[in-house]
Amino acid sequence: MNEQSMTVRGKDRYKSGVMEYKKMGYWEPDYVPKDTDIIALFRVTPQDGVDPVEACAAVAGESSTATWTVVWTDRLTAAEKYRAKCYRVDPVPNSPGSYFAYIAYDLDLFEPGSIANLTASIIGNVFGFKPLKALRLEDMRLPVAYVKTFQGPATGIVVERERLDKFGRPLLGATVKPKLGLSGRNYGRVVYEALKGGLDFCKDDENINSQPFMHWRDRFLYCMEAVNRAQAATGEIKGTYLNVTAATMEDMYERAELAKQLGSVIIMIDLVIGYTAIQSMAKWARRNDMILHLHRAGHSTYTRQRLHGVSFRVIAKWMRLAGVDHIHAGTVVGKLEGDPATTRGYYDICRQDFNKTTLEHGVFFDQQWASLNQMMPVASGGIHAGQMHQLLDHLGEDVVLQFGGGTIGHPKGIQAGATANRVALEAMILARNEGRDYVHEGPEILAKAAQTCTPLREALEIWKDITFNYESTDSPDFVPTATPAM
Amino acid sequence: MRVTQGCFSFLPDLTDEQITAQVQYCLDKGWAVNIEFTDDPHPRNTYWEMWGLPMFDLRDAAGILKELNDCRRTYGDRYIRLSGFDATHGWESLRISFIVNRPKDEPGFRLLRQEVDGRSVRYTTVSYAVDRPEGSRYE
């Protein structure tokens, strides 16, 4: 695919009229990306009959300087620098009609520290471009020079653990259920029971804001009564993600201020508030010593289908730049979409300082994070105590495991549900650290712990057969190939 | 009540054998084990007293357990915790922390509420133990 440059040069390049994108300088197969370039990898599916290289060059053009016809005013600029350059086009394995396009963008195309500006280029007009059937942004390489223009996570995993005084195990959480309809007083009851029973966090759901059944101030006041009571009852720091998502920034700041005043360690926002609002809240959180939880509400509308949209790994990268501390990143074993290899890639993006290219996890680039804080991934949705060994194996230690139904649905009540989860977790960590093969011995380790913990015994009994085994809609295109031994 | 700070407070108190296995885990990871004690387990009491420096150079689990038992002999009526410190760049903090000794009777915490503007409340948590002078809180 990667034939020669077709770029027309000199005065012919600027003759009025329409010229193919690949001739305008948006296809440069000899171009070697600079260390300071932003690189985007798109999955391009051209309309029937459209030349793949032309389609990929068009993506480069439409996401940078081009318009549909030649304009002489290009000649008033250092146009060659500003043109994004598609430098490589590969057919997607096992996916006829789709191509991976690698496109390099000069750093000068972007405003420092602005996700809004980055996305306006990279996922702006280009996604509606008619010659394409579908377009997906798969991954991005963000140069250190660009990463360093962002604040990054307000708190980061290490400082979050220090503030909470919790080390060596995943954190435990639960989303209050039912997600809609509880009054503030009843809502706080759920929070108290779950925290006292052994969870570290409770969580507002994404659509809990300020509704007729519970206005936000009421929720905050009752929740903080619950948090403080649970703290005094256990001697542990506790938190509840108070969702400050609202219609305007002014409303969000007002809600965040009350959360701070009441002594909450954490607040929460939804992805749907938009990139700029997220960055504003991240700055607020840094200024106010607040952990910032992000619920990825809405992401599946554009992340889930393989052919069109934006991969969640890209959203995770943008959110790490934007500065949230927690991000929902999949459970593997739970009820929501998430193939194990792809999810592993997301978790690496959240937590590593350097991501190595790992095609079988969907990670297409080496990415240097330059000491930007780490984000704590959150696993939420259809998980329970009986899966503890698998969760620890797939997701590791620096993660929040959220058992909503798996806490509140316990037959002996919320405290019992919370205790079951905490005991299961501590038993698994103890066994892992002792060097046991906890992945295979998991069920026995849990059964043994349940001998001295009735709530765990009941939890294991009621949810023993619950699994969510459906085929994933977004799995990696590359399978690992055995490397011959040297 | 039972203070549930640390990694293993929801399990039955660890035996010396179990503690040794956890210490060995820390040593295998290259972390420095630290012993600390306190008679005020307030959740925001970060700085417990150190039983000597973190044991950067002691790489033997039995030796660390001996230190723990020395500490227990002197401060057996207080909370003692073990932690593993990882000095790797990008972490430079604790990797694990767990309680290995408790007073016989754990009095817990009082929650004070100061009712302020509107319905807001300022909360303060106080260890009952600090009602008595330092050093004689669990006698």
Side-chain angles (χ1 to χ4, degrees), chain A residues 165 235, chain B residues 3-6 9 34-52 71 78-83 97-103 106 109 134 138:
Chain A
D165 189 33
Chain B
V3 170
T4 51
Q5 295 169 19
S9 285
N34 192 24
I35 299 173
E36 296 164 287
F37 58 93
T38 191
D39 58 4
D40 175 14
H42 189 285
R44 289 200 162 86
N45 178 15
T46 306
Y47 304 114
W48 293 19
E49 299 304 323
M50 295 199 289
W51 179 260
C71 180
R78 304 190 189 186
Y79 292 91
I80 304 178
R81 70 183 176 200
L82 281 189
S83 55
S97 170
F98 55 100
I99 292 176
V100 289
N101 197 79
R102 299 167 184 274
E106 299 185 68
F109 307 90
E134 199 176 342
Y138 297 102

Tab-separated table of all heavy atoms in Angstrom, chain A residues 165 235, chain B residues 3-6 9 34-52 71 78-83 97-103 106 109 134 138:
chain	number	residue	atom	x	y	z
A	165	ASP	N	-5.354	6.646	53.365
A	165	ASP	CA	-4.624	5.703	54.199
A	165	ASP	C	-5.029	4.265	53.875
A	165	ASP	O	-5.331	3.471	54.760
A	165	ASP	CB	-4.851	6.017	55.692
A	165	ASP	CG	-3.931	5.186	56.591
A	165	ASP	OD1	-2.801	4.910	56.162
A	165	ASP	OD2	-4.357	4.806	57.697
A	235	GLY	N	-13.124	3.817	62.183
A	235	GLY	CA	-11.783	4.377	62.282
A	235	GLY	C	-11.081	4.477	60.945
A	235	GLY	O	-9.881	4.706	60.872
B	3	VAL	N	-11.142	-1.276	64.963
B	3	VAL	CA	-10.606	-0.362	63.954
B	3	VAL	C	-10.273	-1.197	62.714
B	3	VAL	O	-9.578	-2.206	62.813
B	3	VAL	CB	-9.359	0.364	64.491
B	3	VAL	CG1	-8.651	1.118	63.373
B	3	VAL	CG2	-9.742	1.323	65.616
B	4	THR	N	-10.806	-0.781	61.562
B	4	THR	CA	-10.615	-1.631	60.373
B	4	THR	C	-9.635	-1.031	59.367
B	4	THR	O	-9.712	-1.284	58.176
B	4	THR	CB	-11.960	-1.930	59.692
B	4	THR	OG1	-12.658	-0.703	59.477
B	4	THR	CG2	-12.799	-2.846	60.561
B	5	GLN	N	-8.714	-0.194	59.871
B	5	GLN	CA	-7.656	0.305	58.991
B	5	GLN	C	-6.773	-0.847	58.525
B	5	GLN	O	-6.699	-1.882	59.175
B	5	GLN	CB	-6.791	1.321	59.756
B	5	GLN	CG	-7.542	2.576	60.146
B	5	GLN	CD	-6.741	3.423	61.134
B	5	GLN	OE1	-5.540	3.271	61.266
B	5	GLN	NE2	-7.444	4.311	61.832
B	6	GLY	N	-6.079	-0.599	57.407
B	6	GLY	CA	-5.097	-1.573	56.945
B	6	GLY	C	-5.720	-2.662	56.094
B	6	GLY	O	-6.931	-2.739	55.935
B	9	SER	N	-7.883	-6.100	58.243
B	9	SER	CA	-8.624	-5.970	59.502
B	9	SER	C	-9.929	-6.734	59.530
B	9	SER	O	-10.509	-6.935	60.595
B	9	SER	CB	-8.894	-4.489	59.799
B	9	SER	OG	-7.719	-3.871	60.239
B	34	ASN	N	8.436	-1.378	57.756
B	34	ASN	CA	8.458	-0.375	58.805
B	34	ASN	C	7.484	-0.807	59.894
B	34	ASN	O	6.411	-1.331	59.598
B	34	ASN	CB	8.021	0.971	58.202
B	34	ASN	CG	8.277	2.135	59.119
B	34	ASN	OD1	9.135	2.073	59.993
B	34	ASN	ND2	7.519	3.210	58.918
B	35	ILE	N	7.874	-0.609	61.142
B	35	ILE	CA	6.982	-0.917	62.272
B	35	ILE	C	6.616	0.405	62.946
B	35	ILE	O	7.490	1.224	63.218
B	35	ILE	CB	7.684	-1.844	63.295
B	35	ILE	CG1	8.050	-3.168	62.625
B	35	ILE	CG2	6.790	-2.074	64.514
B	35	ILE	CD1	8.900	-4.082	63.514
B	36	GLU	N	5.333	0.613	63.170
B	36	GLU	CA	4.875	1.839	63.831
B	36	GLU	C	3.845	1.481	64.890
B	36	GLU	O	3.146	0.483	64.760
B	36	GLU	CB	4.221	2.780	62.829
B	36	GLU	CG	5.136	3.300	61.744
B	36	GLU	CD	4.325	3.894	60.601
B	36	GLU	OE1	3.715	3.096	59.846
B	36	GLU	OE2	4.268	5.099	60.482
B	37	PHE	N	3.734	2.344	65.915
B	37	PHE	CA	2.737	2.084	66.963
B	37	PHE	C	2.075	3.393	67.374
B	37	PHE	O	2.636	4.472	67.193
B	37	PHE	CB	3.400	1.417	68.173
B	37	PHE	CG	4.510	2.235	68.769
B	37	PHE	CD1	4.259	3.106	69.816
B	37	PHE	CD2	5.805	2.136	68.277
B	37	PHE	CE1	5.279	3.877	70.367
B	37	PHE	CE2	6.823	2.903	68.816
B	37	PHE	CZ	6.565	3.770	69.852
B	38	THR	N	0.875	3.271	67.933
B	38	THR	CA	0.188	4.469	68.400
B	38	THR	C	-0.821	4.111	69.465
B	38	THR	O	-1.276	2.955	69.542
B	38	THR	CB	-0.539	5.196	67.255
B	38	THR	OG1	-0.966	6.486	67.707
B	38	THR	CG2	-1.776	4.430	66.799
B	39	ASP	N	-1.207	5.116	70.267
B	39	ASP	CA	-2.353	4.919	71.144
B	39	ASP	C	-3.496	5.857	70.726
B	39	ASP	O	-4.453	6.035	71.443
B	39	ASP	CB	-1.976	5.101	72.621
B	39	ASP	CG	-1.388	6.461	72.921
B	39	ASP	OD1	-1.340	7.315	71.999
B	39	ASP	OD2	-0.982	6.682	74.077
B	40	ASP	N	-3.364	6.438	69.525
B	40	ASP	CA	-4.471	7.230	68.979
B	40	ASP	C	-4.726	6.811	67.530
B	40	ASP	O	-4.116	7.335	66.606
B	40	ASP	CB	-4.142	8.730	69.037
B	40	ASP	CG	-5.235	9.559	68.370
B	40	ASP	OD1	-6.336	9.018	68.123
B	40	ASP	OD2	-4.982	10.751	68.086
B	41	PRO	N	-5.647	5.887	67.332
B	41	PRO	CA	-5.861	5.370	65.969
B	41	PRO	C	-6.820	6.234	65.137
B	41	PRO	O	-7.465	5.721	64.229
B	41	PRO	CB	-6.483	3.999	66.242
B	41	PRO	CG	-7.280	4.208	67.493
B	41	PRO	CD	-6.515	5.212	68.321
B	42	HIS	N	-6.910	7.516	65.442
B	42	HIS	CA	-7.762	8.410	64.651
B	42	HIS	C	-7.474	8.208	63.159
B	42	HIS	O	-6.306	8.095	62.764
B	42	HIS	CB	-7.486	9.860	65.056
B	42	HIS	CG	-8.445	10.843	64.456
B	42	HIS	ND1	-8.381	11.225	63.139
B	42	HIS	CD2	-9.503	11.495	64.987
B	42	HIS	CE1	-9.364	12.090	62.887
B	42	HIS	NE2	-10.067	12.257	63.989
B	43	PRO	N	-8.534	8.163	62.321
B	43	PRO	CA	-8.279	7.874	60.900
B	43	PRO	C	-7.364	8.885	60.221
B	43	PRO	O	-6.750	8.574	59.199
B	43	PRO	CB	-9.674	7.882	60.280
B	43	PRO	CG	-10.603	8.471	61.299
B	43	PRO	CD	-9.977	8.241	62.633
B	44	ARG	N	-7.242	10.083	60.779
B	44	ARG	CA	-6.334	11.046	60.155
B	44	ARG	C	-5.047	11.236	60.946
B	44	ARG	O	-4.291	12.172	60.701
B	44	ARG	CB	-7.056	12.371	59.896
B	44	ARG	CG	-8.067	12.243	58.762
B	44	ARG	CD	-8.460	13.576	58.149
B	44	ARG	NE	-9.083	13.408	56.839
B	44	ARG	CZ	-10.380	13.178	56.630
B	44	ARG	NH1	-11.209	13.104	57.642
B	44	ARG	NH2	-10.863	13.035	55.406
B	45	ASN	N	-4.797	10.345	61.887
B	45	ASN	CA	-3.509	10.363	62.577
B	45	ASN	C	-2.498	9.634	61.698
B	45	ASN	O	-2.301	8.427	61.807
B	45	ASN	CB	-3.630	9.695	63.952
B	45	ASN	CG	-2.284	9.656	64.669
B	45	ASN	OD1	-1.344	10.353	64.283
B	45	ASN	ND2	-2.189	8.837	65.703
B	46	THR	N	-1.863	10.376	60.807
B	46	THR	CA	-0.966	9.782	59.817
B	46	THR	C	0.326	9.262	60.452
B	46	THR	O	0.818	8.198	60.092
B	46	THR	CB	-0.601	10.829	58.751
B	46	THR	OG1	-1.815	11.353	58.218
B	46	THR	CG2	0.226	10.227	57.630
B	47	TYR	N	0.849	10.061	61.378
B	47	TYR	CA	2.209	9.757	61.860
B	47	TYR	C	2.175	8.976	63.154
B	47	TYR	O	2.172	9.565	64.235
B	47	TYR	CB	3.010	11.064	61.998
B	47	TYR	CG	3.027	11.835	60.701
B	47	TYR	CD1	2.395	13.068	60.589
B	47	TYR	CD2	3.633	11.292	59.575
B	47	TYR	CE1	2.382	13.742	59.387
B	47	TYR	CE2	3.620	11.964	58.372
B	47	TYR	CZ	2.989	13.191	58.280
B	47	TYR	OH	2.970	13.861	57.090
B	48	TRP	N	2.113	7.680	63.033
B	48	TRP	CA	2.285	6.832	64.213
B	48	TRP	C	3.771	6.882	64.583
B	48	TRP	O	4.627	7.215	63.751
B	48	TRP	CB	1.859	5.389	63.914
B	48	TRP	CG	0.387	5.208	63.661
B	48	TRP	CD1	-0.517	6.172	63.318
B	48	TRP	CD2	-0.356	3.984	63.735
B	48	TRP	NE1	-1.766	5.626	63.163
B	48	TRP	CE2	-1.695	4.276	63.414
B	48	TRP	CE3	-0.016	2.656	64.040
B	48	TRP	CZ2	-2.698	3.305	63.390
B	48	TRP	CZ3	-1.008	1.683	64.010
B	48	TRP	CH2	-2.335	2.006	63.702
B	49	GLU	N	4.083	6.538	65.848
B	49	GLU	CA	5.486	6.541	66.272
B	49	GLU	C	6.237	5.424	65.559
B	49	GLU	O	5.714	4.325	65.402
B	49	GLU	CB	5.586	6.326	67.791
B	49	GLU	CG	4.901	7.406	68.621
B	49	GLU	CD	5.415	8.800	68.310
B	49	GLU	OE1	6.627	8.965	68.061
B	49	GLU	OE2	4.570	9.733	68.292
B	50	MET	N	7.463	5.701	65.150
B	50	MET	CA	8.245	4.688	64.440
B	50	MET	C	9.063	3.860	65.433
B	50	MET	O	9.687	4.416	66.338
B	50	MET	CB	9.188	5.338	63.428
B	50	MET	CG	8.449	6.050	62.307
B	50	MET	SD	9.502	6.329	60.870
B	50	MET	CE	10.588	7.575	61.491
B	51	TRP	N	9.019	2.579	65.258
B	51	TRP	CA	9.883	1.669	66.028
B	51	TRP	C	11.205	1.599	65.257
B	51	TRP	O	11.427	0.718	64.436
B	51	TRP	CB	9.214	0.296	66.145
B	51	TRP	CG	10.027	-0.727	66.895
B	51	TRP	CD1	10.796	-1.709	66.348
B	51	TRP	CD2	10.135	-0.869	68.308
B	51	TRP	NE1	11.386	-2.444	67.331
B	51	TRP	CE2	11.005	-1.958	68.556
B	51	TRP	CE3	9.607	-0.170	69.414
B	51	TRP	CZ2	11.330	-2.371	69.845
B	51	TRP	CZ3	9.927	-0.595	70.695
B	51	TRP	CH2	10.782	-1.669	70.903
B	52	GLY	N	12.028	2.600	65.477
B	52	GLY	CA	13.273	2.694	64.693
B	52	GLY	C	12.975	3.151	63.267
B	52	GLY	O	11.843	3.502	62.940
B	71	CYS	N	8.850	-4.856	69.834
B	71	CYS	CA	7.925	-3.721	69.903
B	71	CYS	C	6.676	-4.120	70.704
B	71	CYS	O	6.190	-3.366	71.540
B	71	CYS	CB	7.547	-3.273	68.496
B	71	CYS	SG	6.407	-1.878	68.457
B	78	ARG	N	-0.948	-1.261	72.656
B	78	ARG	CA	-1.282	-0.230	71.659
B	78	ARG	C	-1.492	-0.845	70.278
B	78	ARG	O	-1.304	-2.046	70.088
B	78	ARG	CB	-0.142	0.799	71.561
B	78	ARG	CG	0.160	1.401	72.911
B	78	ARG	CD	1.082	2.574	72.799
B	78	ARG	NE	1.495	2.955	74.162
B	78	ARG	CZ	2.213	4.013	74.431
B	78	ARG	NH1	2.623	4.793	73.451
B	78	ARG	NH2	2.548	4.298	75.672
B	79	TYR	N	-1.864	-0.006	69.340
B	79	TYR	CA	-1.952	-0.453	67.944
B	79	TYR	C	-0.539	-0.488	67.355
B	79	TYR	O	0.227	0.454	67.528
B	79	TYR	CB	-2.797	0.501	67.101
B	79	TYR	CG	-4.261	0.496	67.463
B	79	TYR	CD1	-4.766	1.374	68.419
B	79	TYR	CD2	-5.139	-0.396	66.842
B	79	TYR	CE1	-6.108	1.378	68.751
B	79	TYR	CE2	-6.478	-0.400	67.180
B	79	TYR	CZ	-6.973	0.488	68.123
B	79	TYR	OH	-8.300	0.478	68.451
B	80	ILE	N	-0.238	-1.575	66.684
B	80	ILE	CA	1.036	-1.659	65.951
B	80	ILE	C	0.716	-2.043	64.512
B	80	ILE	O	-0.152	-2.895	64.277
B	80	ILE	CB	1.977	-2.725	66.569
B	80	ILE	CG1	2.204	-2.436	68.062
B	80	ILE	CG2	3.302	-2.779	65.807
B	80	ILE	CD1	3.078	-3.476	68.769
B	81	ARG	N	1.352	-1.375	63.576
B	81	ARG	CA	1.140	-1.752	62.172
B	81	ARG	C	2.470	-1.979	61.473
B	81	ARG	O	3.488	-1.387	61.834
B	81	ARG	CB	0.317	-0.698	61.427
B	81	ARG	CG	1.039	0.613	61.191
B	81	ARG	CD	0.147	1.648	60.498
B	81	ARG	NE	0.841	2.931	60.377
B	81	ARG	CZ	0.240	4.100	60.183
B	81	ARG	NH1	-1.075	4.173	60.085
B	81	ARG	NH2	0.956	5.215	60.080
B	82	LEU	N	2.414	-2.842	60.467
B	82	LEU	CA	3.553	-3.079	59.593
B	82	LEU	C	3.237	-2.455	58.245
B	82	LEU	O	2.092	-2.524	57.785
B	82	LEU	CB	3.765	-4.583	59.361
B	82	LEU	CG	4.459	-5.415	60.420
B	82	LEU	CD1	4.743	-6.802	59.848
B	82	LEU	CD2	5.771	-4.770	60.833
B	83	SER	N	4.247	-1.875	57.615
B	83	SER	CA	4.016	-1.376	56.267
B	83	SER	C	5.223	-1.684	55.403
B	83	SER	O	6.324	-1.898	55.914
B	83	SER	CB	3.725	0.124	56.285
B	83	SER	OG	4.763	0.803	56.951
B	97	SER	N	-0.021	-1.933	54.093
B	97	SER	CA	-0.014	-1.538	55.492
B	97	SER	C	-1.076	-2.362	56.206
B	97	SER	O	-2.195	-2.474	55.713
B	97	SER	CB	-0.329	-0.036	55.582
B	97	SER	OG	-0.562	0.348	56.917
B	98	PHE	N	-0.725	-2.961	57.332
B	98	PHE	CA	-1.725	-3.758	58.058
B	98	PHE	C	-1.429	-3.793	59.548
B	98	PHE	O	-0.280	-3.711	59.975
B	98	PHE	CB	-1.842	-5.182	57.492
B	98	PHE	CG	-0.553	-5.953	57.430
B	98	PHE	CD1	-0.224	-6.892	58.402
B	98	PHE	CD2	0.340	-5.755	56.376
B	98	PHE	CE1	0.963	-7.617	58.336
B	98	PHE	CE2	1.534	-6.470	56.300
B	98	PHE	CZ	1.847	-7.392	57.280
B	99	ILE	N	-2.500	-3.892	60.328
B	99	ILE	CA	-2.393	-3.872	61.784
B	99	ILE	C	-1.997	-5.263	62.268
B	99	ILE	O	-2.547	-6.273	61.815
B	99	ILE	CB	-3.737	-3.427	62.401
B	99	ILE	CG1	-3.986	-1.953	62.049
B	99	ILE	CG2	-3.761	-3.638	63.908
B	99	ILE	CD1	-5.314	-1.409	62.509
B	100	VAL	N	-1.029	-5.311	63.184
B	100	VAL	CA	-0.562	-6.598	63.703
B	100	VAL	C	-0.712	-6.691	65.223
B	100	VAL	O	-0.354	-7.713	65.824
B	100	VAL	CB	0.906	-6.863	63.311
B	100	VAL	CG1	1.024	-7.142	61.823
B	100	VAL	CG2	1.804	-5.689	63.702
B	101	ASN	N	-1.196	-5.650	65.841
B	101	ASN	CA	-1.407	-5.672	67.293
B	101	ASN	C	-2.463	-4.639	67.651
B	101	ASN	O	-2.501	-3.564	67.053
B	101	ASN	CB	-0.097	-5.333	68.005
B	101	ASN	CG	-0.108	-5.736	69.465
B	101	ASN	OD1	0.075	-6.910	69.774
B	101	ASN	ND2	-0.346	-4.783	70.348
B	102	ARG	N	-3.335	-4.998	68.603
B	102	ARG	CA	-4.376	-4.059	69.033
B	102	ARG	C	-4.469	-4.073	70.549
B	102	ARG	O	-4.163	-5.087	71.170
B	102	ARG	CB	-5.750	-4.518	68.518
B	102	ARG	CG	-5.881	-4.589	67.059
B	102	ARG	CD	-7.148	-5.362	66.670
B	102	ARG	NE	-7.198	-5.481	65.235
B	102	ARG	CZ	-7.728	-4.553	64.435
B	102	ARG	NH1	-8.292	-3.479	64.945
B	102	ARG	NH2	-7.701	-4.707	63.130
B	103	PRO	N	-4.948	-2.978	71.138
B	103	PRO	CA	-5.259	-3.031	72.567
B	103	PRO	C	-6.382	-4.040	72.814
B	103	PRO	O	-7.187	-4.289	71.916
B	103	PRO	CB	-5.717	-1.607	72.884
B	103	PRO	CG	-5.959	-0.940	71.593
B	103	PRO	CD	-5.233	-1.689	70.533
B	106	GLU	N	-10.943	-1.894	72.383
B	106	GLU	CA	-10.850	-0.758	71.469
B	106	GLU	C	-12.049	0.155	71.698
B	106	GLU	O	-13.165	-0.188	71.328
B	106	GLU	CB	-10.818	-1.250	70.023
B	106	GLU	CG	-9.632	-2.145	69.708
B	106	GLU	CD	-9.576	-2.521	68.237
B	106	GLU	OE1	-9.319	-1.633	67.413
B	106	GLU	OE2	-9.818	-3.699	67.924
B	109	PHE	N	-14.479	5.803	68.605
B	109	PHE	CA	-14.459	7.240	68.315
B	109	PHE	C	-15.799	7.896	68.615
B	109	PHE	O	-16.854	7.306	68.428
B	109	PHE	CB	-14.115	7.465	66.837
B	109	PHE	CG	-12.864	6.775	66.421
B	109	PHE	CD1	-12.900	5.472	65.929
B	109	PHE	CD2	-11.637	7.389	66.564
B	109	PHE	CE1	-11.741	4.801	65.575
B	109	PHE	CE2	-10.462	6.725	66.210
B	109	PHE	CZ	-10.513	5.433	65.711
B	134	GLU	N	-1.535	10.685	77.104
B	134	GLU	CA	-0.708	9.842	76.264
B	134	GLU	C	0.099	8.884	77.139
B	134	GLU	O	0.610	9.259	78.171
B	134	GLU	CB	0.243	10.739	75.467
B	134	GLU	CG	0.825	10.053	74.269
B	134	GLU	CD	1.691	11.005	73.445
B	134	GLU	OE1	1.577	12.232	73.596
B	134	GLU	OE2	2.471	10.481	72.639
B	138	TYR	N	-4.641	2.891	77.411
B	138	TYR	CA	-5.280	1.565	77.377
B	138	TYR	C	-4.983	0.785	78.645
B	138	TYR	O	-4.989	-0.427	78.642
B	138	TYR	CB	-4.827	0.796	76.129
B	138	TYR	CG	-5.249	1.476	74.854
B	138	TYR	CD1	-4.349	2.215	74.108
B	138	TYR	CD2	-6.577	1.399	74.425
B	138	TYR	CE1	-4.750	2.858	72.945
B	138	TYR	CE2	-6.989	2.045	73.263
B	138	TYR	CZ	-6.058	2.766	72.537
B	138	TYR	OH	-6.460	3.403	71.394
